[in-house]
């Protein structure tokens, strides 16, 4: 056995999306980083070995897609990949290569693949670990550090197929292994299983605690071969014969190409120790599921005779195992905090997705699926959460002074994990952990102490924002950002007066775009709402495009109310600007104008959103804009008496407003926020003017600049799954120039051709002295308006 020793600033153990983003973030901030992964590919559950596609907040909230490193990766994958996205089972090696290529491009990052962590060396020896306790109902392993937090010196790993033993010493460590392997070996306190309702009063907690966890899954993929492809399952496969097992218990084979998250098993087996047994059982069931679909499913038999089973996963993807106790324990209640966390470093917005213990062996699958994905009533009130902030403290271990966690092994209850565990969210956690440790790489203080300091300062938050992340409760306050001191002017700005039903727009390649086939599909069966950005304190009128399917005039109650953000889903906000009953004649579509009363102006705050609500009227249809989406103007419907939910992925309903609102002014590029939230936070040029659009920054005296950072619109409104092959967002700048006014002439600083990323950084080898900087956007990927969310300037 060959033995090799290495030393780094940071060792990240686990190469899933949380660990990968942690390693890249730390490396980009100057740390020497080791990324240790036990598989030949990166990405964890998202890799081509397991093929779970990353989910996140934008599946439920318009403009809530995760940004930062995870956004960079997913944009790159969509631009390079020739295949559409399948829910699960369809991931190909293009994704693996995007991750590998990114790692190879980081000079401070050293990659150790196929390396299994076997032991941890502590500064002080640990006692023999006891067996986990179950006196509280769930598994609980107490801390092995009776005399205070311990310190990791190094980890030891075995490189598979190489006869190499690695010892990697580091100043700090991140456990992103999913199962919490490093934290367990280092003597950290952990729990595994399900807390009872009496522990924290969580709505989704069961009445009694147990050792139950969510299960592991494998996926399958099938291909249409163009000719009949018979299939016979082996004798050892499970034989399915009952349609109710699939169609009445939440296991509907919705996509014949495969996927099926519900091929899941956990209980009665242990998701760590019995992983090999679970893998075999899952294989038996997966073959049995395909056998059922091909040969006995009354809905599919005969329709998929040309499909052949092309791939079946052999490495189970895990949802839940150990959760390492940190400085803070996040519960379900934290999805609705009274005030933001002072140490907010990420956000979430996936629903509380708790799969039924046992999976395929249980009576029903995950409750939401078993209910047929109903989105009204108690499910909407309790399960649909966010966007909510996530605190740093859940990743700082309580028992080891130089260890953090990132991923599904963070400090959270079983119920809270139901939302936090999805990969786009855990990628944000990883980036935050890597950034935090890089900023503190020279400190010998315990991470708990440093985390307390981070909660009282905004340095970490500001670093994350600068790196392209979004935090619901933080804005750019970087005193070194010279753009914040500039006066911003532009060639033109778009004003919003509304949108017509068939008005042309740019969304080529964007999937899940809903086009109603008939007016009946748009009836006001529930309360419906349209967000409108307002930049003036007085509005003359608003209008809506409605059809009346009754034979006589119908009335609809309309409410115009101020809201806190595009995610303010309360059906009854605190106040309203105006209320009225609109009269709709039979037929249509009709533009119905609503003149507002003269005394409303004091209730409108420029630079915020109003929400135009129409109450239920089942004979009246409010039409969607079928071809255009106004950025930052989503819509919603009432999913319960208390809360709304986005309507058709946040598409814009047909509305009008007078006067037209200047809500895309150039000053928005220094608003401090890089997406629609409390306002549009976006400059857009007038789409009716031809030629390049430009944005100028003016200072009252000369500035020295060697870094310009740009954030373009795009890749926000919907989740990653909605974007097609070879996709470049129409809103994103394709070709642009950066110039500066130097010695009386414009000097080109940078020229970019063929861009498709939303976050771009330009560093100049020679700093420029100027009092004017100009961004010229020569073309986009299809949008007639140029757009910019943010521009930053630095002398680094």
């Amino acid at each position: 056995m060959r033995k090799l020793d290495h030393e780094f600033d940071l060792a990240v153990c686990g190469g899933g999306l949380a660990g990968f983003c942690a390693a890249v973030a730390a490396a980009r901030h100057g740390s020497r980083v080791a990324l240790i992964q036990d598989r030949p590919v990166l990405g964890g559950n998202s890799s081509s070995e397991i093929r779970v596609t990353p989910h996140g907040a934008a599946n439920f909230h318009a403009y809530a897609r995760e940004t930062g490193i995870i956004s960079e990766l997913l944009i790159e994958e969509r631009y390079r990949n020739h295949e559409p996205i399948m829910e699960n089972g369809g991931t190909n090696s293009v994704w693996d290569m995007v991750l590998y290529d990114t790692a190879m491009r980081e000079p401070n990052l050293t990659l150790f693949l196929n390396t299994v962590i076997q032991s941890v060396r502590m500064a002080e020896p640990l006692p023999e670990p006891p067996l986990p306790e179950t006196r509280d109902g769930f598994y609980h392993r107490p801390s092995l550090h009776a005399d205070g937090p311990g310190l990791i010196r190094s980890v030891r790993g075995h490189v598979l197929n190489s006869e190499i033993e690695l010892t990697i010493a580091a100043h700090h460590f991140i456990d992103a292994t999913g199962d919490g392997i490093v934290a367990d070996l280092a003597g950290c306190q952990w729990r595994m299983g399900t807390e009872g309702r009496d522990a924290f009063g969580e709505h989704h907690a069961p009445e009694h605690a147990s050792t139950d966890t969510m299960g592991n899954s494998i996926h399958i993929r099938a291909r249409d071969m163009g000719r009949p492809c018979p299939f016979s399952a082996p004798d050892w496969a499970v034989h399915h014969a009952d349609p109710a097992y699939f169609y009445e218990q939440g296991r509907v084979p919705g996509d014949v190409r495969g996927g099926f998250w519900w091929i899941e098993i956990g209980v009665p087996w242990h998701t760590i120790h019995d992983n090999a047994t679970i893998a075999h059982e899952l294989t038996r069931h997966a073959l049995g599921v395909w056998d059922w679909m091909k040969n006995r499913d009354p809905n599919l038999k005969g329709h998929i005779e040309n499909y052949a089973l092309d791939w079946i996963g052999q490495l189970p993807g895990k949802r839940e195992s150990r959760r390492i106790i940190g400085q803070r324990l996040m519960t379900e209640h934290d999805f609705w905090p009274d005030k933001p966390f002072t140490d907010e470093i990420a956000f979430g917005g996936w629903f509380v997705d708790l799969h039924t213990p046992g999976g395929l062996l249980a009576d029903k699958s995950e409750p939401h699926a078993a209910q047929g994905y109903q989105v009204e009533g108690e499910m909407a009130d309790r399960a649909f959460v966010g966007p909510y902030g996530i605190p740093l403290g859940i990743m700082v271990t309580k028992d080891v002074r130089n260890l953090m966690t990132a991923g599904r092994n963070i400090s959270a209850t079983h119920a809270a994990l139901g939302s936090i565990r999805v990969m786009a969210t855990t990628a944000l956690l990883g980036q935050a952990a890597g950034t935090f440790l890089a900023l503190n790489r020279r400190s010998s203080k315990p991470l708990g102490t440093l985390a307390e300091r981070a909660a009282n300062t905004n340095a970490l938050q500001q670093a994350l924002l600068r790196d392209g992340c979004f935090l619901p409760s933080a804005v750019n306050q970087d005193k070194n950002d010279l753009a914040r001191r500039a006066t911003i002017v532009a060639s033109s700005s778009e004003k919003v007066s509304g949108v017509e039903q068939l008005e042309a727009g740019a969304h080529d390649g964007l999937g899940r775009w809903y086009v109603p086939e008939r007016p009946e599909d748009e009836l006001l069966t529930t309360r419906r709402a349209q967000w409108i950005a307002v930049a003036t304190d007085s509005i003359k009128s608003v209008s809506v495009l409605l059809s009346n399917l009754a034979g006589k005039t119908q009335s609809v109650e309309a409410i115009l109310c101020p809201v806190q953000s595009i995610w303010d889903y309360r059906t009854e906000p605190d106040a309203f600007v105006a209320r009225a009953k609109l009269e709709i004649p039979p037929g249509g579509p009709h533009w119905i104008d609503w003149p507002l009363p003269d005394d409303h102006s004091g209730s409108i705050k420029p630079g915020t959103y109003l929400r135009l609500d129409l109450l239920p009227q089942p004979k009246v249809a409010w039409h969607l804009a079928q071809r255009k989406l106004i950025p930052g103007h989503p819509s919603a419907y009432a999913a319960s008496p208390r809360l709304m939910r986005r309507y058709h992925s946040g598409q814009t309903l047909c509305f009008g407003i007078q006067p037209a609102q200047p809500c895309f002014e150039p000053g928005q590029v220094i608003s401090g926020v890089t997406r629609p939230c409390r306002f549009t936070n976006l400059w857009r040029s007038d789409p009716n003017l031809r030629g390049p659009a430009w944005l100028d920054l003016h200072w009252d005296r000369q500035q020295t600049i060697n870094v310009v950072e740009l954030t373009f619109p795009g890749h926000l409104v919907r989740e990653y799954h909605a974007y097609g092959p070879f996709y470049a967002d129409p809103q994103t700048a394709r070709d642009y120039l950066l110039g500066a006014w130097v010695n009386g002439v414009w000097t080109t600083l940078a020229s970019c051709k063929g861009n498709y990323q939303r976050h771009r950084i330009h560093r100049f080898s020679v700093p420029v002295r100027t009092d004017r900087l100009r961004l010229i956007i020569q073309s986009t990927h299809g949008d007639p308006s140029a757009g910019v969310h943010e521009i930053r300037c630095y002398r680094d």
Side-chain angles (χ1 to χ4, degrees), residues 36 40 51 124 155 204 213 349 441 474 477 527 549 614 637:
I36 307 164
R51 303 191 181 187
E124 300 292 338
V155 295
H204 284 90
T213 63
R441 64 182 177 274
Q477 297 176 331
R527 182 174 185 152
L549 276 64
L614 297 188
Y637 70 98

Side-chain angles (χ1 to χ4, degrees), residues 161-214:
N161 304 315
S162 298
E163 296 185 359
I164 292 175
E165 181 182 286
L166 288 176
T167 297
I168 295 178
H171 189 50
H172 292 125
F173 295 82
I174 293 177
D175 185 337
T177 62
D179 287 337
I181 295 168
V182 175
D184 175 56
L185 293 171
C188 288
Q189 179 186 177
W190 55 260
R191 56 177 60 181
M192 179 174 170
T194 303
E195 294 87 354
R197 192 166 299 163
D198 59 346
F200 301 102
E202 295 171 299
H203 173 80
H204 284 90
E207 183 176 355
H208 300 293
S210 72
T211 57
D212 293 350
T213 63
M214 291 179 278

Side-chain angles (χ1 to χ4, degrees), residues 593-665:
D593 193 51
W594 176 17
L596 298 183
D598 295 334
D599 60 354
H600 75 276
S601 59
S603 56
I604 296 178
K605 183 180 178 181
T608 63
Y609 278 102
L610 296 179
R611 202 179 72 203
L612 174 58
D613 289 16
L614 297 188
L615 271 56
Q617 172 48 270
K619 295 294 184 180
V620 173
W622 188 357
H623 297 290
L624 271 171
Q626 296 185 11
R627 300 172 61 192
K628 183 175 181 178
L629 184 151
I630 302 178
H633 288 70
S635 58
Y637 70 98
S640 77
R642 190 174 66 94
L643 292 174
M644 305 192 103
R645 190 183 174 201
R646 70 171 188 184
Y647 182 60
H648 290 301
S649 299
Q651 287 177 228
T652 306
L653 290 161
C654 294
F655 77 94
I657 185 168
Q658 291 296 326
Q661 295 298 297
C663 58
F664 295 124
E665 291 295 284

Side-chain angles (χ1 to χ4, degrees), residues 719-777:
E719 198 179 33
Y720 159 69
H721 298 68
Y723 299 84
F726 298 131
Y727 184 82
D729 197 295
Q731 298 176 76
T732 304
R734 183 180 65 188
D735 304 325
Y736 63 88
L737 296 171
L738 273 171
W741 186 255
V742 180
N743 298 324
V745 296
W746 283 106
T747 300
T748 299
L749 302 178
S751 175
C752 184
K753 299 289 186 182
N755 171 61
Y756 49 89
Q757 286 284 350
R758 70 183 304 270
H759 188 225
R760 293 300 305 263
I761 300 173
H762 294 277
R763 301 184 187 277
F764 314 131
S765 57
V766 179
V768 62
R769 288 278 295 170
T770 186
D771 60 1
R772 289 181 67 187
L773 190 78
R774 174 169 288 185
L775 169 66
I776 303 174
I777 298 179

Side-chain angles (χ1 to χ4, degrees), residues 149-274:
L151 183 74
I152 300 177
R153 296 294 190 194
S154 63
V155 295
R156 183 177 62 86
H158 176 69
V159 183
L160 301 177
N161 304 315
S162 298
E163 296 185 359
I164 292 175
E165 181 182 286
L166 288 176
T167 297
I168 295 178
H171 189 50
H172 292 125
F173 295 82
I174 293 177
D175 185 337
T177 62
D179 287 337
I181 295 168
V182 175
D184 175 56
L185 293 171
C188 288
Q189 179 186 177
W190 55 260
R191 56 177 60 181
M192 179 174 170
T194 303
E195 294 87 354
R197 192 166 299 163
D198 59 346
F200 301 102
E202 295 171 299
H203 173 80
H204 284 90
E207 183 176 355
H208 300 293
S210 72
T211 57
D212 293 350
T213 63
M214 291 179 278
N216 305 349
S217 286
I218 63 172
H219 301 299
I220 62 176
R221 175 166 181 163
R223 291 186 184 273
D224 186 347
M225 305 306 294
R227 56 186 175 81
C229 300
F231 177 81
S232 298
D235 294 341
W236 49 268
V238 174
H239 182 83
H240 291 287
D242 183 7
Y245 178 81
F246 295 94
Y247 291 100
E248 297 178 18
Q249 297 177 20
R251 304 181 184 98
V252 178
D255 188 337
V256 298
R257 296 173 301 168
F260 312 142
W261 57 263
W262 43 260
I263 302 179
E264 171 187 1
I265 292 176
V267 176
W269 293 287
H270 191 285
T271 55
I272 298 175
H273 304 315
D274 298 324

